[in-house]
Amino acid sequence: MSTAELTLTEDGIPLKEKLAKTTALQRRRALLLTLPLVIFLVVSFVFPIGQMLFSSVHNDKVSAVVPTFAEAIIQWDGEGLPSEQIFEIFVKDLAAAKKVREIGRTVGNMATRINYEMPGSRSLFTSTARKAKKIEAPYKENLIKVNKKWANPTIWLTMQRAARDITPAFYVAALDLKYDENGDIVRADELYQIYLNNFIKTLGVSALITLICVVLAYPVAYLLSVLPLRQANLLMIMVLLPFWTSLLVRTTAWIAILQTEGVINDMLVFMGFISDDGRIQMIYNQTGTIIAMVHILLPFMILPLYSVMKTIPPTYMRAALSMGAKPLYAYRKVYLPQTLPGLAAGTLLVFILAIGYYITPALVGGEDGLLISNLIAYHIQKSLNWSLGAALGTLLLAVVLILYWLYNKLIGIDKLRFG
């Protein structure tokens, strides 16, 4: 037996057993202390993301309205038109659904779901539902008499896809693709190719905003780190002042400053740089979005840089200069490498915030300055196509995770430092 097993504590319990009990008690206490944080993360982070992932592939608007027909159409082989029996089930389910007033189970909900994939088909369902109770056998023939569009096999193929609760259709739409008449996935018409281009524009705008923030923040952070304490504190208050002002107020201020009749254009006209008829359009476009977002996100770049620069002893640069190095060479070899952790932290922070921003672009961006987050908000708040909004949100999350992985591979996430 080991010494720990033979040694007894004052109360006669073997030391090994006592240590095991003490360790277990400490673990339980640690778990209880972290439990509120774990619950908070699950409720506010894990659960919403899980709900978004589920909503992006789940939509039961058809099966909830015409459940019997949904089961029957899924079994259809997809050749020509469905059988007379399926037509009968559809008509009877449609007539029954017309009487339902329960939220989420109306014919309008089903029609809207089909309309996502076949634009313009919503009125076909709503108008047919009003006449469904009068349709009798032969159901196929009489349904086609009600509206000749029911003789189109494409609409039945679309209903077959929509009848499945789990569907990739919303990711297909989010990637600017569509189903053709044969059910194959092809490129969407050019008019509807908006999401991928917006993703690319969002990445480009976010990268440009991050670059501008680096250029502006680096000298400010350096100045903060070398100034005497009193002057540095005053400058730090100016950096933090935007955090004490409402985001809406700051954005509205930029509207007043950048509009054609705003402060900047009035000054340029007064100084003779431009004519009164040649005022520059700086708002409700991509330019306005970039200017306003740089102003909002600049402190998020300054603070990580400053926290790292403040810890770099000035003697390093003086030592390099005393040994004959020129200022630029000494900066590039001695000072810059030590600021990279703060630069990496600020870059990652600003870029991720920029890629998901939607309030500022919505207010100052106009149509040209809208980002992918604005399209997600549109589908969640206005079009109520939550599944497509969730699919776009999931793709945005995937893009961020991929960029994070690349960042870790190229730079190393362990090099990030906020102070």
Side-chain angles (χ1 to χ4, degrees), residues 76 78-83 87 90-91 118 121 124-125 128 135 139-159 181:
W76 175 46
E79 297 294 331
L81 291 175
S83 64
F87 268 83
F90 175 66
V91 171
M118 284 191 69
S121 63
L124 173 63
F125 288 88
T128 303
I135 300 175
Y139 292 96
K140 180 184 294 189
E141 180 181 339
N142 290 330
L143 185 62
I144 293 174
K145 284 182 180 179
V146 170
N147 195 311
K148 294 182 179 179
K149 292 181 180 179
W150 292 114
N152 183 3
T154 303
I155 196 166
W156 296 96
L157 286 171
T158 304
M159 284 196 290
E181 295 180 354

Side-chain angles (χ1 to χ4, degrees), residues 394-409:
T394 302
L395 290 177
L396 182 61
L397 176 63
V399 169
V400 171
L401 292 177
I402 291 171
L403 291 174
Y404 183 86
W405 177 79
L406 289 174
Y407 198 95
N408 184 40
K409 286 292 183 182

Side-chain angles (χ1 to χ4, degrees), residues 15 25 55 94 117 165 174 177 298-299 310 326 363 403:
L15 180 60
L25 181 61
S55 298
L94 201 61
E117 297 191 40
D165 292 349
L177 304 171
L298 189 59
K310 191 66 178 175
K326 294 183 178 180
L363 293 175
L403 291 174

Side-chain angles (χ1 to χ4, degrees), residues 3-18:
T3 305
E5 292 174 333
L6 293 173
T7 306
L8 301 178
T9 60
E10 293 181 356
D11 50 2
I13 301 174
L15 180 60
K16 184 176 181 180
E17 183 180 340
K18 186 71 172 181

Side-chain angles (χ1 to χ4, degrees), residues 187-230:
R187 293 289 297 172
D189 299 334
E190 188 173 350
L191 180 64
Y192 296 100
Q193 294 180 16
I194 56 176
Y195 300 118
L196 286 182
N197 290 336
N198 204 280
F199 265 113
I200 294 171
K201 183 175 77 171
T202 299
L203 292 173
V205 169
S206 300
L208 179 59
I209 290 170
T210 304
L211 179 61
I212 295 173
C213 284
V214 169
V215 173
L216 295 178
Y218 203 94
V220 174
Y222 176 75
L223 189 61
L224 278 167
S225 66
V226 299
L227 280 175
L229 184 60
R230 171 181 257 178

Side-chain angles (χ1 to χ4, degrees), residues 350-370:
V350 170
F351 184 82
I352 290 178
L353 288 173
I355 205 174
Y357 239 72
Y358 81 95
I359 296 176
T360 302
L363 293 175
V364 304
E367 291 186 5
D368 182 51
L370 294 180

Side-chain angles (χ1 to χ4, degrees), residues 15-285:
L15 180 60
K16 184 176 181 180
E17 183 180 340
K18 186 71 172 181
L19 289 173
K21 288 182 178 180
T22 303
T23 304
L25 181 61
Q26 291 176 343
R27 287 176 180 174
R28 284 194 294 269
R29 287 176 178 174
L31 179 62
L32 289 175
L33 288 173
T34 59
L35 189 59
L37 177 60
V38 172
I39 294 174
F40 174 78
L41 289 175
V42 170
V43 172
S44 64
F45 186 73
V46 177
F47 180 75
I49 290 180
Q51 184 67 25
M52 179 183 70
L53 294 172
F54 180 69
S55 298
S56 66
V57 296
H58 178 266
N59 193 300
D60 61 352
K61 290 297 188 293
V62 174
S63 62
V65 177
V66 285
T68 309
F69 169 74
E71 293 180 7
I73 195 67
I74 289 174
Q75 305 301 323
W76 175 46
D77 61 7
E79 297 294 331
L81 291 175
S83 64
E84 172 70 15
Q85 183 183 7
I86 293 179
F87 268 83
E88 179 183 356
I89 295 172
F90 175 66
V91 171
K92 291 181 177 179
D93 268 14
L94 201 61
K98 180 61 180 173
K99 303 175 184 178
V100 176
R101 293 292 181 269
E102 185 179 341
I103 296 176
R105 295 189 59 191
T106 65
V107 174
N109 296 123
M110 180 183 69
T112 301
R113 169 67 182 91
I114 304 297
N115 195 69
Y116 292 152
E117 297 191 40
M118 284 191 69
S121 63
R122 192 180 192 280
S123 60
L124 173 63
F125 288 88
T126 54
S127 62
T128 303
R130 289 193 293 268
K131 305 172 183 177
K133 64 180 181 180
K134 298 180 181 179
I135 300 175
E136 298 177 350
Y139 292 96
K140 180 184 294 189
E141 180 181 339
N142 290 330
L143 185 62
I144 293 174
K145 284 182 180 179
V146 170
N147 195 311
K148 294 182 179 179
K149 292 181 180 179
W150 292 114
N152 183 3
T154 303
I155 196 166
W156 296 96
L157 286 171
T158 304
M159 284 196 290
Q160 185 184 49
R161 289 195 302 271
R164 295 182 172 90
D165 292 349
I166 303 299
T167 172
F170 298 101
Y171 283 103
V172 171
L175 293 171
D176 289 338
L177 304 171
K178 69 172 185 177
Y179 290 97
D180 63 9
E181 295 180 354
N182 299 318
D184 298 323
I185 298 177
V186 298
R187 293 289 297 172
D189 299 334
E190 188 173 350
L191 180 64
Y192 296 100
Q193 294 180 16
I194 56 176
Y195 300 118
L196 286 182
N197 290 336
N198 204 280
F199 265 113
I200 294 171
K201 183 175 77 171
T202 299
L203 292 173
V205 169
S206 300
L208 179 59
I209 290 170
T210 304
L211 179 61
I212 295 173
C213 284
V214 169
V215 173
L216 295 178
Y218 203 94
V220 174
Y222 176 75
L223 189 61
L224 278 167
S225 66
V226 299
L227 280 175
L229 184 60
R230 171 181 257 178
Q231 296 166 339
N233 286 340
L234 181 61
L235 186 57
M236 179 60 75
I237 291 174
M238 296 176 66
V239 171
L240 296 176
L241 190 61
F243 288 127
W244 303 341
T245 309
S246 168
L247 176 63
L248 187 61
V249 172
R250 283 182 280 164
T251 306
T252 306
W254 277 113
I255 295 175
I257 293 171
L258 297 176
Q259 62 183 323
T260 52
E261 300 295 331
V263 177
I264 294 180
N265 271 298
D266 285 345
M267 290 178 60
L268 292 175
V269 171
F270 177 77
M271 291 185 291
F273 289 111
I274 59 175
S275 64
D276 193 54
D277 296 333
R279 290 173 177 263
I280 304 171
Q281 180 69 29
M282 294 181 288
I283 199 68
Y284 304 125
N285 53 23

